[in-house]
Amino acid sequence: MAPLPTLLLLLCAVRSALLYHPIWKPIWPVSKVPVVLPQLTEHLDAPEFNAEAKLEVTSLCGPECHKRASVPSYEELKELLSYETLYFNGSLTQTNVSIYGLNMAELARTQGTKGRSRAKRQIYGHDSRFSIFGKDFLLNYPFSTSVKVSTGCTGTLVADRHVLTAAHCIHDGKSYVKGAKKLKVGFLKPRQKDESSNQTRSHLPEKMKFQWIRVKRTHVPKGWIKGNANDIGMDYDYALLELKKPHKRRYMKIGVSPTAKQLPAGRIHFSGYDNDRWGNLVYRFCDVREETYNLLYQQCDAQPGASGSGVYVRMWKREHRRWERRIIGIFSGHQWVERDGMPQDFNVAVRITPLKYAQICYWIKGNYVDCRDG
């Protein structure tokens, strides 16, 4: 028998090898991403900007409803992924798209469930949210990627001048909201030491304030405008904002959403500016309870204002041999649905599917060559 110290050393070496071997790490799956290309762009009448911004989405279609829904045809998908672009001067265009390399059989495959929600409120029992304080945290990655959208929502930096948020923060499904006409994005930054103490009182911790940058243009998919979340429209509750100038901060890349079983501990994370904690960035994490092809159902504590937050996970990127956080969804909000004849509520996030990844990536990059790795 080997001496005890030698045996302990061997056991420690084996344990270390197992912990750091790639097979024991949650690895980002390789996804086959189709190509979504613009075909025809036409000018539309200028919008009226007469809708009230609603920070809570309502839908009667729950998980089972979405799973029973028929898979869109190729032509329907082209219509759903066509999009409107709103410019800072108030002009509006519509762009039709074509889709290449799409596997319809894969699209038809829906995801399994992970149990049922039993909660009845946006705060599920004990409030598990964490307010982030101190500039050393707020101004550093990953919390620094969370920004404030002037209509009252949250967004996430996904490129050097692009912000991902929820479509309902910009458009109610029928019309653009009033604040979309002069849309801005707010970045937390320290107050200057020489600023007068008699300025407007701020509730932000450690003398932080928002610095605002105007939005140059906004993309919203027709799937949201067509659906307005009253049927399957909430599958397309996402929008991309392009800023007038670079923000010069580290951003978080987008990625195709893995299945719930592939997520580390089946858990997601996101940070947002919840209305009940004004001025505070609020972080939370929780387990995914159910999923459909387009949506994640979970019990992350949240309040209006967090809508549009980027839902992210941290997994191992095998090609680069490093850990990498990626945005895999957009927090849509608190939704009441009809389930088994009874009203129930969920907190829901829109998944970034291969098609959505291809579209959002093209909006950011302006080409499809850089959008094949999901």
Side-chain angles (χ1 to χ4, degrees), residues 137-175:
F137 290 100
L138 291 168
L139 301 182
N140 284 296
Y141 187 88
F143 301 117
S144 58
T145 64
S146 296
V147 292
K148 181 80 171 177
V149 180
S150 58
T151 54
C153 291
T154 300
T156 307
L157 304 177
V158 293
D160 60 0
R161 61 169 71 221
H162 290 91
V163 175
L164 188 64
T165 189
H168 74 259
C169 302
I170 313 300
H171 195 291
D172 74 346
K174 298 179 182 178
S175 179

Side-chain angles (χ1 to χ4, degrees), residues 93-113:
T93 62
Q94 176 178 305
T95 301
N96 298 326
V97 304
S98 286
I99 303 171
Y100 304 94
L102 177 64
N103 187 333
M104 294 299 292
E106 178 68 18
L107 183 66
R109 183 176 64 86
T110 58
Q111 309 299 327
T113 62

Side-chain angles (χ1 to χ4, degrees), residues 197-267:
S197 59
N198 61 2
Q199 288 183 336
T200 303
R201 182 181 178 184
S202 172
H203 297 282
L204 298 180
E206 296 193 16
K207 297 182 179 180
M208 303 292 285
K209 69 173 185 178
F210 284 111
Q211 179 185 38
W212 298 91
I213 298 179
R214 282 290 304 273
V215 172
K216 179 180 179 181
R217 59 180 176 177
T218 302
H219 300 300
V220 179
K222 294 290 287 183
W224 170 255
I225 296 172
K226 177 179 181 294
N228 189 24
N230 291 321
D231 43 29
I232 312 299
M234 64 180 176
D235 291 352
Y236 297 90
D237 188 11
Y238 60 93
L240 188 74
L241 318 180
E242 181 181 345
L243 304 176
K244 279 193 169 185
K245 61 181 181 179
H247 52 72
K248 299 180 181 179
R249 287 191 181 186
R250 184 180 176 186
Y251 55 84
M252 196 178 299
K253 295 180 180 179
I254 63 171
V256 173
S257 173
T259 65
K261 292 181 179 179
Q262 294 173 309
L263 299 177
R267 188 172 292 167

Side-chain angles (χ1 to χ4, degrees), residues 1 57 59 85 149 160 187 192 229 248 251 254 280 290 310:
M1 180 180 291
V57 178
S59 173
T85 302
V149 180
D160 60 0
F187 297 76
Q192 298 298 322
K248 299 180 181 179
Y251 55 84
I254 63 171
N280 289 354
E290 298 193 33

